[in-house]
Amino acid sequence: MAEKTKGITRRKFVVRTLLGGTGLIIGTTYLLRNPLRRKFNAFIDTGDVPYIGETDEPALWFEVTPENGIILSSPKVEMGQGIFTGLAQIAAGELDVDVQQIRVIHAPTASGNVDDFGTGGSTTIRSLWPVLRSLSATLREMLKAEAARKLGLPVSELTTEAGRVWAGDRSLSYGEIVEGVQDWASPDTPPLREVGSYPFIGRPVPRNDLADKVFGAAIFGMDATLPDMLYGAVARPSHIGARLKSADTSRAASMAGVVRICREADFVGVVATSRMAAENAKNAIEVDWDADTGWQTRDIEEMIRVGNGTPYVIQKQGNAERAFETAPGEIIRAEFKTPIGAHAQLEPNGALAWVEEDQATVILSTQVPGYTQEQVARRLDLKKEQVNLIPTFLGGGFGRRLNTSHAVEAAVMSRAVGKPVKCYFNRQEEFQNDEFRPPSHMVVHAKLSDKGGISAFEFNTSSGAVMHSFGPLPGMMRNLVGSDFGAWRGGLIQYGLIPDFKSVSWFVELPFATATWRGLGLLTNTFAIESFLDELARKAGRDPVGFRLMHIRDDAAGERLKNVIRAAAEKAGYRDEVVGGTAMGLAASTDAGSPAAHVAEVSIRDGEIRVEKVTCAFDPGLVINPDLVRAQCEGNIIMGMSAALYEEMHVEDGELLPVIYGPYRMAQMKDGPREIEVVLLQGDDAPGAVGEPPMGPIAAAIANAVTRLTGKRPRQLPIRLS
Amino acid sequence: MNVQKQQITLTVNGADHQIALEDTNTPLLWVLRDYLGIMGTKFGCGKAACGACTLHVDKEAVRSCTYPARLAEGKQITTIEGLGSREEPHPVQRAWMAEVVPQCGYCQPGFMMAAAALLEKVPEPTDADIDQNITNICRCGTYYRMRKAIHRAAAIGGTREEPLAETP
């Protein structure tokens, strides 16, 4: 706990008074001082994605309006993970207001909120937790001080409750307090309350975006409109590595509804009066792509074989090389591989941009508002502050929106026509221009001692860029770190009692864009390691639960990991035997400090692998909202199961295929487990990572169950029978 | 550029709209979103493969991204905005609220419209009925809660109220 708040106690609060004194705005920074160095050290140890930012300008703001509105401008975006609700629950504990009274909104960059790292890495709640508490407490004390002045009473005689400051039975609402105030005293941070006294922490408060999302009122990027808006469409390649060589736009230019053809060095697009007209005209552009049509899936698989590329030792204990040479027993070896994965989020990418002379407005679904703003500004030769980036709800993020360079295209086209332009991908373009989860190849070695424990262990993982392709990551970091910590996420050995082990990450640059997919390398690396653990347990003649437990350290992290393994096994009634055609498989991982263990119950029906039930035990530390944490577990389990059983992109003559849902098979209602049981443990007194860690064990848990059913161990994703 | 436009009349959530279309093949989805500004119905794939654009045409579930708008003339079109209101939610919406189904929320209107159409035909659907009829795609993985919500909606009373007039 102390560790998590270190370095951010000297907090700077900035108070803004609205023009004419009609409210109170208070903000604070949350980026750590010298975050780069601190976090650099932290992620070397843990693989935890760092927050990176160069600014200590305030990025988190509260506004109290005379109408008694309490608005929290979130620098982080809501993409389904439930942070807007969690933030309100935390703030309410210091502000003494009902959680429903706090309105959480996406902050446009013009409001002063810019988060240079973005939303990802399961970092939002845990990074904002200490900051939001002190900001809320400070705001409360300022309101009390002003109320004391208005009531002519000492602050010590005032209390706060239900959104009002009270003196006996007299009270003022927060809105009444801010009314007309011109000057606010510069506040000190008051002591924070005990977390146990926060009324909304640990309660299943319904999501604060629930009604909007149920009644069709939530606005996503693609729903944004501006007056006089036109529609853009950009020709996009179907082949990997394709560059625009030339384009014949003559036929497109003469088509109905076309306003302008935009030919830039790096793209060709069309602006028209409707989406249909824009799409039709774009399809009529004859583009000559400079593309290599020689690539096949097997070429890509060959590139990422362990042994190619550059190796980086990411973790090491004892001397694994010597142990493999000298320790008794045979070397057990296995290989695993996983395919190219698509994000396939339902809302396609795109943006609405309006560029006037010296300022631009861009509205879109992005996980990196600050970075998107910078990209647009650079392309338009504007200052960053001249671009107002307005984030909306995301129709799925999953890491796909950590690069939104398409915002530039809408902006360039808008400047060309002098009107707002909305430009979106179609689905085929989305599939073929994704920044994919890279394929991976993993090789694992181990030796068993005569006592039946693991005496030596080596994990090698190889794939393409994951975090190295992340725009906001400073290039120097890449050079310093060498290895791609996104690619090896999930590749650290959590079995610290193995005397000699090492983990190695091989980095290969692929000929197409690869990047962040929910949990990054977590799903695939855990698939290999936890499948192999299961295999070793069987070879050692031990049960997979006890076998895991005997290799985990007794330190705090180890105890938390052991607890989730025990809890999942117990709740599921874990057994090795196949009963009634159903087998169980167990797997566990620790990601970003949050351990998760899943037991999958699997059967084979009509020749297909069926996941009947998943029992999940998860320890994200302090749970702000148990229902929403459960929802994240369920979502990770289903998305991970979909990747484990069905999803696969391939390359044929340089083309990325398939291009549509269906052929790119994903889990549907009929495939999802009939039952998902989630046990939440709280092994820490501060909130930890939630959005990705439960992704880790699911593929291995399913694979381990399939092994029990068929006697054959799955060595690759998607898992297929025969 | 002069474009020959075709006038069509659509009845959406009980209200009539006159639309001048440049392209008579324009799918209903885009007429709703880009001509009428009714944004609750979402674009997902444009090939009727994901169901994000599901709405009702004369009480039948239709994937509007491939359904030419002109075919809906003279019929009752219902979108998520007309399924129920905050004051009088459709049983499916009540159930969706109770089960806290949505995460990102983007695919949810399509699922709710598909679920409402299923309940219209099969008031008490079995799991097999749900598997067979609800074939939309959700990337957040909310299927587990959706199934519970559909059963809950059936228990509340899956029959649909008459389409409500569009509220301003």
Side-chain angles (χ1 to χ4, degrees), chain A residues 79-80 212-215 220 222-223 231 275 342-343 427 627 631 634-635 638 647 667-669 674, chain B residues 1 23 30 33-34 39 42 44 85-86 93 102-104 106 112 131 135 139-141 143-145 147:
Chain A
M79 47 190 171
D212 281 349
K213 288 180 175 176
V214 167
F215 294 100
F220 299 87
M222 203 176 186
D223 301 330
Y231 297 83
R275 177 177 165 111
H343 288 88
R427 186 51 58 181
D627 185 59
E634 294 160 11
I638 290 170
E647 296 180 31
Q668 288 173 289
M669 184 74 88
R674 286 287 191 278
Chain B
M1 181 174 302
D23 185 333
W30 299 115
R33 291 179 57 84
D34 293 345
M39 292 295 188
K42 305 302 183 194
S85 64
R86 290 174 202 243
Q93 290 168 311
Q103 289 187 26
C104 91
Y106 190 80
M112 285 184 275
D131 287 346
T135 57
R139 190 42 149 175
C140 297
Y143 300 124
Y144 175 62
R145 292 188 182 206
R147 183 186 299 279

Side-chain angles (χ1 to χ4, degrees), chain B residues 28 53-64 67 72 75-79 83 110 112-122 133 160 163:
Chain B
L28 180 54
C53 63
T54 306
L55 44 67
H56 298 170
V57 176
D58 280 350
K59 299 194 175 188
E60 290 281 340
V62 160
R63 293 189 171 179
S64 64
Y67 187 97
K75 297 176 180 170
Q76 293 290 331
I77 301 162
T78 309
T79 69
L83 184 68
M112 285 184 275
M113 297 309 284
L118 170 62
L119 291 171
E120 186 75 26
K121 284 186 182 154
V122 187
N133 287 281
R160 183 171 49 176

Side-chain angles (χ1 to χ4, degrees), chain A residues 272-293:
Chain A
T273 51
S274 71
R275 177 177 165 111
M276 281 288 282
E279 276 287 307
N280 290 340
K282 173 199 70 185
N283 292 335
I285 300 174
E286 286 166 34
V287 183
D288 191 4
W289 298 103
D290 187 0
D292 188 340
T293 56

Side-chain angles (χ1 to χ4, degrees), chain A residues 628-648:
Chain A
L628 295 185
V629 173
R630 283 200 171 86
Q632 288 304 292
C633 293
E634 294 160 11
N636 271 295
I637 284 166
I638 290 170
M639 186 172 176
M641 173 210 137
S642 182
L645 292 180
Y646 312 121
E647 296 180 31
E648 181 174 27

